[in-house]
Amino acid sequence: MNGGNEGQLSFPEEMVAKSKVVFDVIAMPIETPLYELALKHNKAVITGMEIMALQAAIQFELYTGITLTPDQVSRAAAFSRL
């Protein structure tokens, strides 16, 4: 995302270091400063792209009545990164 403060975090690094999972809502780019910091601290990360895939799966289900499997959602998230 753009706006002049792309490389800044909204909270101290210690918060990431103390966490178990990091939830990043930015979809593009996937590798945000928060994502990179979480990897540096060996944390599990839920990326913005994964969130978008989950939202799309729920919308698909609402429109079609068909529930996607977790594997289908995971594959859709991976495909969207290409």
Side-chain angles (χ1 to χ4, degrees):
M1 298 187 75
N2 296 319
N5 60 353
E6 297 84 29
Q8 298 176 4
L9 292 173
S10 300
F11 40 83
E13 182 173 343
E14 295 80 38
M15 289 183 75
V16 173
K18 292 179 182 179
S19 67
K20 292 183 181 182
V21 177
V22 173
F23 185 98
D24 193 353
V25 297
I26 305 300
M28 294 298 272
I30 294 171
E31 295 182 7
T32 65
L34 178 59
Y35 176 86
E36 291 171 354
L37 185 59
L39 292 183
K40 173 184 166 186
H41 288 281
N42 297 313
K43 304 301 178 180
V45 182
I46 300 170
T47 67
M49 194 59 71
E50 291 174 272
I51 300 307
M52 282 182 52
L54 291 169
Q55 289 173 332
I58 292 168
Q59 289 173 326
F60 181 81
E61 182 177 356
L62 290 171
Y63 285 121
T64 66
I66 298 169
T67 302
L68 299 176
T69 67
D71 180 62
Q72 289 171 316
V73 175
S74 177
R75 288 178 23 227
F79 180 79
S80 66
R81 292 183 202 129
L82 300 176

